[in-house]
Amino acid sequence: MCNRLKKRGMPCDSLQGAIEWRKRNLDVTQTKSWRIDGNQRAKPVSIEILGGDRAFDSETARRALTHTVPDLWFNQVNRLDTALKEHGVTLSAEKLLEVQATLFLLYQIETDRYLKIEAVYQMPDIFMIRPEHENYGAMIKSLEQCLNRPAATG
């Protein structure tokens, strides 16, 4: 993908330059992290113990709780849908997004309480598209198709 984006003009001399170019030139609804059914090819994230009793310093914990966890848990609506289906709950795409946003807000409140600060959170891409956005209808349609798939049986 990097080679394709490089051909489209993405700078490769710095990570920050590439990130900024992607923000300006890629439609968020067409990026891997924004897939409604999740990023199925993503490698699992592992957290290594850094030795002894000091697993993380406070800055590492803050960053993980305000950026990494929201990206992993709130960007992929399919995780919430799967959990709800396992308990016999079915929601429309709009209601599922509303529930996901409410859970994110509660997560922020509890994390701030835990960290004893008012942190700045990275807003998951899924919450960036609003009903007035031109791609909202396509996103809802795609999400409805995903929601209407039968739950996987183990």
Side-chain angles (χ1 to χ4, degrees):
M1 181 54 78
C2 287
N3 287 331
R4 283 189 228 154
L5 294 177
K6 183 179 176 182
K7 288 177 186 175
R8 289 176 51 189
M10 181 179 77
C12 296
D13 55 338
S14 77
L15 177 60
Q16 191 60 37
I19 291 170
E20 290 303 317
W21 183 90
R22 288 173 57 92
K23 285 180 183 176
R24 284 191 313 272
N25 294 283
L26 296 182
D27 180 0
V28 70
T29 64
Q30 301 300 313
T31 60
K32 198 177 208 181
S33 67
W34 209 79
R35 288 183 188 157
I36 289 176
D37 61 347
N39 183 1
Q40 301 301 326
R41 294 189 181 135
K43 295 179 182 176
V45 176
S46 64
I47 299 174
E48 296 180 17
I49 297 173
L50 300 177
D53 293 329
R54 93 168 221 268
F56 295 106
D57 61 31
S58 61
E59 179 59 26
T60 303
R62 186 198 61 76
R63 178 107 177 116
L65 291 172
T66 60
H67 289 72
T68 306
V69 172
D71 185 53
L72 290 172
W73 287 103
F74 295 101
N75 240 346
Q76 297 181 27
V77 178
N78 70 309
R79 291 182 180 183
L80 176 60
D81 177 53
T82 300
L84 292 172
K85 278 183 181 175
E86 287 175 0
H87 293 347
V89 177
T90 305
L91 299 174
S92 69
E94 290 91 349
K95 190 53 113 175
L96 187 65
L97 289 172
E98 184 181 324
V99 169
Q100 187 82 333
T102 301
L103 289 173
F104 181 61
L105 178 61
L106 292 171
Y107 172 82
Q108 291 175 344
I109 292 167
E110 289 304 314
T111 302
D112 282 355
R113 186 177 300 157
Y114 173 75
L115 294 173
K116 297 181 177 138
I117 62 170
E118 287 189 25
V120 175
Y121 293 81
Q122 178 174 322
M123 182 67 75
D125 292 339
I126 193 87
F127 301 135
M128 300 304 283
I129 189 167
R130 308 300 313 155
E132 57 275 2
H133 190 275
E134 64 183 270
N135 293 329
Y136 184 80
M139 187 261 312
I140 292 296
K141 183 179 178 184
S142 179
L143 182 53
E144 288 287 354
Q145 288 173 346
C146 181
L147 295 175
N148 290 323
R149 284 187 210 139
T153 55

